[in-house]
Amino acid sequence: MKLFDVYPINDITITKAQGSYVWDENGVQYLDMYGGHAVISIGHTHPHWVRRIEEQLEKIAFYSNSINIPIQQELAKKLGEVSGKPDYQLFLCNSGAEANENALKLASFHTGRKKVIAFDKSFHGRTSLAVAATDNKTIVAPVNETDNIIFLPFNDEKALQKCFATEGKEIAAVIIEGIQGVGGINIASDSFLKLIRQLCDDHGAVYIADSVQCGYGRSGMFFSHDYAGVNADIYSMAKGMGNGFPIGGILIAPHIHAKHGMLGTTFGGNQLACAAALAVLEVIEKEQLIDVAKQRGQYLLNRLKAIDELKNVRGRGLMIGFDVPESLKGLKKKLLFDFNVFTGEAKPNVIRLLPSLAISRKQVDEFLEVLKEAIAESVAKQEA
Ligand SMILES: Cc1ncc(COP(=O)(O)O)c(C=O)c1O
């Protein structure tokens, strides 16, 4: 049987990983500035994470949500503490799309309304509502098309005000990434997020903070939306939550009430996934990784800004992007194949950096050195 060929892959086979390094089948070491798409939060194969999963595996890996699962409660408590939102409620699922799907559905149940405001360049996942709220027509199948989603320009306060003024009574939710990832590292301004909070309050709509990529400490705060100093009603999470073990979830404000059967999942919240997620939070706390992400990110950002060839360097914490000029078009591939460094991208010309929050200063310096070398080689080649 063949695999369904949907991924444009790099011809590399990774067989080992530790911290911020991975190794291929030939033993070649790569520096991972991509974290498998922002997933690796505490570092590949962190010993505490490995041990926690192993220990849980020996006891019980899975039983469905039809019995008491105390480790879910343990996870909820720890997540409340580390995120600074102890009064929120937790619903667990398996991925980012599923988290957003449940968030949107819950907002609709809660308000009894259908319309959702989303923004240009957003990415919320590939399930039916999440993809409908995603600004990429090529991944929306005809069956996913709906006129319930209203797309507005990102950070455009006037457009948002106008939309609420005309359609406020029908709006169930506003969904927004605190920092757009797939869209190319675009930061939602603090005043825009404050305005969303205010307009949702004024019109009885639900503010959904998609924190699948920008959450879990990556931005230097637990949720990047926290920079605005206001709370969302629902936070969706996934990627960094399990450090590679598949788990997602939503944090739900106390005023939104649950009803039996309203949401549900077979695999979500299984014992093994909860053990992985608990291990991640324990390491984030013990190693103070949110502060590390903030400091290391600032250091990296400042150094990148000093490289003339890179344009529009931006980001928060360890979620950083820069525009690559046309003259350096092959930079990402060059970094990977000539210098053994994984980076991310956003079309058409953005390199995205999403390393583990535990990346060391030495590794950041190693990346900067290599990046400068790769740029110098590309420039020299052009001049030759
Ligand atoms: C902001 C955001 N939301 C949702 C998703 C979807 O997550 P998943 O691929 O786990 O379904 C992604 C994935 O890249 C994302 O970046």
Side-chain angles (χ1 to χ4, degrees):
M1 188 189 282
K2 281 201 309 187
L3 294 174
F4 199 51
D5 187 15
V6 288
Y7 299 111
I9 57 167
N10 296 301
D11 188 16
I12 295 174
T13 307
I14 301 296
T15 52
K16 197 178 112 180
Q18 192 180 47
S20 286
Y21 291 114
V22 297
W23 288 264
D24 72 13
E25 58 194 338
N26 304 313
V28 176
Q29 178 178 294
Y30 296 74
L31 178 63
D32 188 6
M33 296 300 290
Y34 174 54
H37 207 66
V39 165
I40 300 305
S41 46
I42 58 170
H44 288 281
T45 60
H46 191 290
H48 180 67
W49 179 83
V50 172
R51 203 175 329 111
R52 255 295 200 168
I53 293 173
E54 277 173 357
E55 281 170 11
Q56 186 61 45
L57 203 47
E58 297 283 344
K59 293 185 210 149
I60 176 171
F62 172 83
Y63 204 85
S64 78
N65 285 297
S66 58
I67 49 147
N68 292 325
I69 303 182
I71 196 168
Q72 288 184 354
Q73 200 54 57
E74 215 186 311
L75 174 59
K77 184 166 180 291
K78 180 60 82 189
L79 189 49
E81 284 163 17
V82 179
S83 67
K85 315 234 180 280
D87 53 341
Y88 277 56
Q89 310 155 82
L90 175 64
F91 176 76
L92 290 164
C93 55
N94 309 286
S95 69
E98 214 188 317
N100 284 328
E101 197 75 23
N102 280 294
L104 290 163
K105 201 168 170 183
L106 184 54
S108 178
F109 274 136
H110 178 71
T111 58
R113 302 175 185 171
K114 291 183 182 171
K115 299 266 182 203
V116 170
I117 296 177
F119 298 97
D120 293 353
K121 291 198 168 182
S122 61
F123 186 92
H124 298 298
R126 290 166 182 271
T127 55
S128 59
L129 250 182
V131 84
T134 289
D135 182 19
N136 179 354
K137 293 267 177 299
T138 64
I139 61 168
V140 178
V143 73
N144 304 134
E145 284 168 12
T146 165
D147 49 16
N148 284 331
I149 312 291
I150 303 166
F151 282 99
L152 296 179
F154 192 66
N155 279 338
D156 186 333
E157 299 186 10
K158 284 213 176 78
L160 187 67
Q161 271 159 336
K162 194 166 157 221
C163 183
F164 266 101
T166 52
E167 312 202 43
K169 284 203 190 78
E170 291 178 65
I171 307 293
V174 178
I175 183 165
I176 183 165
E177 295 156 80
I179 305 171
Q180 289 185 331
V182 176
I185 313 291
N186 308 312
I187 302 176
S189 71
D190 294 352
S191 68
F192 196 58
L193 296 180
K194 281 194 179 109
L195 182 65
I196 291 176
R197 175 70 281 161
Q198 187 207 315
L199 290 170
C200 283
D201 285 343
D202 293 350
H203 294 86
V206 173
Y207 169 6
I208 301 172
D210 182 340
S211 304
V212 168
Q213 186 166 154
C214 59
Y216 249 77
R218 175 156 298 283
S219 70
M221 292 194 85
F222 193 84
F223 292 118
S224 69
H225 295 77
D226 291 341
Y227 279 98
V230 290
N231 280 323
D233 298 308
I234 303 179
Y235 295 87
S236 58
M237 310 163 292
K239 295 194 189 286
M241 194 173 182
N243 195 46
F245 198 101
I247 181 168
I250 50 177
L251 286 191
I252 305 155
H255 69 273
I256 299 179
H257 301 296
K259 252 200 247 157
H260 284 178
M262 189 184 210
L263 305 177
T265 154
T266 298
F267 292 122
N270 68 76
Q271 289 84 344
L272 197 55
C274 288
L278 262 168
V280 168
L281 289 172
E282 285 157 359
V283 172
I284 286 180
E285 211 176 24
K286 182 149 180 271
E287 299 182 10
Q288 301 180 342
L289 291 184
I290 303 180
D291 288 342
V292 174
K294 191 176 212 157
Q295 285 160 24
R296 218 133 280 164
Q298 194 57 54
Y299 172 79
L300 176 55
L301 194 80
N302 291 342
R303 294 291 184 287
L304 289 169
K305 280 185 174 164
I307 302 176
D308 286 344
E309 288 82 357
L310 307 180
K311 306 296 170 207
N312 195 12
V313 177
R314 60 210 182 255
R316 267 177 171 158
L318 288 168
M319 186 162 181
I320 293 177
F322 50 82
D323 296 349
V324 178
E326 185 62 23
S327 56
L328 295 177
K329 223 167 79 192
L331 185 60
K332 182 177 179 292
K333 286 242 181 276
K334 188 169 190 56
L335 282 168
L336 181 57
F337 291 107
D338 297 351
F339 291 90
N340 302 334
V341 176
F342 277 95
T343 57
E345 68 181 338
K347 300 274 187 269
N349 67 333
V350 179
I351 284 190
R352 265 192 295 169
L353 304 177
L354 304 157
S356 152
L357 311 187
I359 191 167
S360 69
R361 168 82 175 258
K362 197 160 159 272
Q363 287 161 338
V364 170
D365 284 335
E366 181 188 330
F367 169 67
L368 288 163
E369 278 314 303
V370 157
L371 177 65
K372 284 182 209 160
E373 241 181 276
I375 292 172
E377 269 191 19
S378 306
V379 171
K381 202 168 157 197
Q382 265 165 21
E383 286 168 357

